[in-house]
C-alpha cells in the first residue's frame, strides 16, 4: 500500500483492524493490560467458579443470570433437543473419516439450516428455538462424527446427564468421572465468549446480512478452525510432543526466537499479560493431575512458560487460553483433533449472543478498502500475452 493512497483517501489502514472498533457490544469485556475478562460485567473467575456452562450461555445470550426456574426451563429445552435428524447423521456418515472434525462440524452446522429453514428473525420464539437447537445439537454432531469416523454408530445423547457429562458420555459410552465432567464444563465456560475475535467478527458479519443462525455459526466455525485462532490448542500438543523433554525447552525457544516463528499457545492481540483463562485452566490441569496422575507434558509446559516469559515477556507475549486447554483435554483422553471442535461447542454461546445483539441494531457490514492497483490498464489480447 502506498502512502499516496493513504493520503488520497484520508483513511489509515490498520492491518488486522487492530484497535479499530467494529461494533458496540455489552456481552463481554477484556482489559488486556490488567488481564481482566468479564461476561456481562461479571469477572470470569466468579463465573468459572460458580456457574455451569448452560447457565453461562443464558447469561451471555440473555444478558442476565437466570432465576432457578428460568435455568431449569433452559436446561430442559437443551436436553430435549440434543438428538440430530437421521438424515444429518447419514450425511455425516458419507464424510471421509480422514477429514478434520472442524470441517465436518462446519458442514453439519450449515446443514441444520436445511432442516429448520423458517427464518423469522423478529420472532422471539424463533430466536429461542434456534439458540436451543444450536447449543443442544452441536455437541451431538461433534461426538457423532468422532464415533462414525472410527466405524461405529453414534451414541445417543442421555437426557439424564448434564451438558458436559452427556458430551463426554457420547464420546466413550461411559459416564464420566464427576471431577472430569466439572473440569470440562469449566473449560467450556472459559471458551464461551471473548469480545470481537476473528470468528465472532465473522459471525457478526454473516448475521448482518439477516441470513439464518445456522449459516452464522457455520461461518464462525470455519473461521475458528485456523491455527492462529482456535486451531492453536491442537498445535500446542504437537509442539510439546516435538519438544519431548524439559531439557529441550530452552533450545526450542531460542530456535523459534531466532527464526521468528510463533510459539503456539503464546501471545494475544489484546492480552499483554498472562491470559486470565490460562491461569484458571492451569489450576484445572493441576486438579486433574492430582486425581488421575501427572503428565510429562505438564512439566515441559511449565518450563516453556518460564522460558518464554524470560525471552519474550518484554513484548507482552505470555500464555493464552490455548496453552493449557490441550493438556486438560489430553488428560480426559480426548483426541487432539477434537480440541478445536470443543472450542466451537463452547463458543456457540458467544456467537449466538452476538447474533442476537447484531439483530438488535442491525446495519449490514460493508467496510471500505484502499485500492492499490492501477487504473485505465490496457486490455491485452490473448495472442499478445
Ligand atoms: N511466539 C513468538 N513470538 C510471538 C508470538 C508467539 N506465539 N506471538 C507474537 N509474537 C511476536 C511476533 O513475532 C511479533 O514480533 P515482532 O514485533 O518482533 O515482529 C510480535 O510478537 C507481534 O506479533 P503479531 O503476530 O503481530 O501479533 P498479533 O496480535 O497479530 O497476533 C496471535 C496475535 C495470537 C495471532 C499471535 O500471538 C500468535 O500467532 N500466537 C500463536 C498462535 C496462538 O496461540 N493462537 C491462539 C490465540 S488465543 C485464542 C484465540 O484467539 O483463538
Amino acid at each position: 500500500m502506498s502512502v499516496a493512497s493513504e493520503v488520497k483517501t484520508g483513511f489509515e489502514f490498520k492491518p488486522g483492524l487492530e484497535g479499530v472498533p467494529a461494533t458496540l457490544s455489552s456481552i463481554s469485556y477484556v482489559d488486556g493490560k490488567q488481564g481482566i475478562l468479564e461476561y456481562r460485567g461479571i469477572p470470569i473467575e466468579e463465573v468459572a467458579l460458580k456457574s455451569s456452562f448452560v447457565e453461562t450461555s443464558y447469561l451471555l445470550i440473555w444478558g442476565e443470570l437466570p432465576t432457578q426456574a428460568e435455568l431449569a426451563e433452559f436446561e430442559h429445552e437443551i436436553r430435549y433437543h440434543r438428538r440430530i435428524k437421521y438424515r444429518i447423521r447419514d450425511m455425516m456418515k458419507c464424510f471421509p473419516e480422514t477429514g478434520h472434525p472442524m470441517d465436518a462440524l462446519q458442514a453439519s452446522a450449515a446443514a441444520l439450516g436445511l432442516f429448520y429453514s423458517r427464518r423469522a428473525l423478529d420472532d422471539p420464539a424463533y430466536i429461542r428455538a434456534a439458540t436451543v437447537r444450536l447449543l443442544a445439537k452441536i455437541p451431538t454432531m461433534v461426538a457423532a462424527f468422532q464415533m462414525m469416523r472410527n466405524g461405529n454408530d453414534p451414541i445417543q445423547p442421555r437426557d439424564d446427564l448434564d451438558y458436559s457429562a452427556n458430551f463426554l458420555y457420547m464420546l466413550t459410552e461411559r459416564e464420566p468421572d464427576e471431577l472430569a465432567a466439572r473440569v470440562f464444563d469449566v473449560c467450556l465456560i472459559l471458551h464461551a465468549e471473548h469480545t470481537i475475535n476473528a470468528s465472532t467478527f465473522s459471525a457478526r458479519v454473516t448475521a448482518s446480512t439477516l441470513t439464518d443462525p445456522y449459516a452464522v455459526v457455520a461461518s464462525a466455525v470455519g473461521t475458528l478452525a485456523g491455527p492462529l485462532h482456535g486451531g492453536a490448542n491442537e498445535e500446542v500438543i504437537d509442539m510439546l510432543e516435538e519438544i519431548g523433554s524439559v531439557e529441550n525447552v530452552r533450545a526450542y525457544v531460542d530456535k523459534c526466537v531466532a527464526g521468528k516463528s510463533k510459539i503456539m499457545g503464546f501471545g494475544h492481540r489484546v492480552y499483554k499479560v498472562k491470559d486470565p483463562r490460562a491461569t484458571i485452566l492451569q489450576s484445572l490441569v493441576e486438579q486433574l493431575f492430582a486425581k488421575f496422575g501427572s503428565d510429562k507434558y505438564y512439566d515441559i509446559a511449565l518450563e516453556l512458560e518460564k522460558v518464554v516469559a524470560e525471552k519474550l515477556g518484554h513484548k507482552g507475549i505470555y500464555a493464552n487460553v490455548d496453552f493449557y486447554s490441550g493438556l486438560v483435554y489430553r488428560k480426559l483422553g480426548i483426541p487432539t483433533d477434537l480440541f478445536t471442535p470443543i472450542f466451537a461447542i463452547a463458543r456457540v454461546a458467544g456467537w449466538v449472543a452476538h447474533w442476537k445483539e447484531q439483530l438488535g441494531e442491525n446495519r449490514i457490514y460493508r467496510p471500505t478498502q484502499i485500492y492499490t492497483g492501477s487504473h485505465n490498464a490496457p486490455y491485452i489480447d490473448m495472442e499478445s500475452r
Side-chain angles (χ1 to χ4, degrees), residues 336-348:
T336 308
D337 63 0
L338 287 191
F339 295 178
T340 319
I342 289 168
F343 192 156
I345 289 173
R347 193 51 66 84
V348 165

Side-chain angles (χ1 to χ4, degrees), residues 228-229 232 260 262-263 265-269 315 317 320 322:
L228 296 187
H229 193 5
K260 283 197 162 287
K262 297 277 173 72
I263 302 166
F266 288 88
H268 200 278
R269 174 64 60 81
K315 285 191 187 176
I317 312 286
N320 62 46
D322 285 323

Side-chain angles (χ1 to χ4, degrees), residues 298-316:
Y298 185 51
D299 297 332
I300 301 174
L302 286 178
E303 179 68 8
L304 188 58
E305 201 182 342
K306 200 178 93 195
V307 179
V308 171
E310 198 185 292
K311 307 260 177 188
L312 294 169
H314 65 282
K315 285 191 187 176

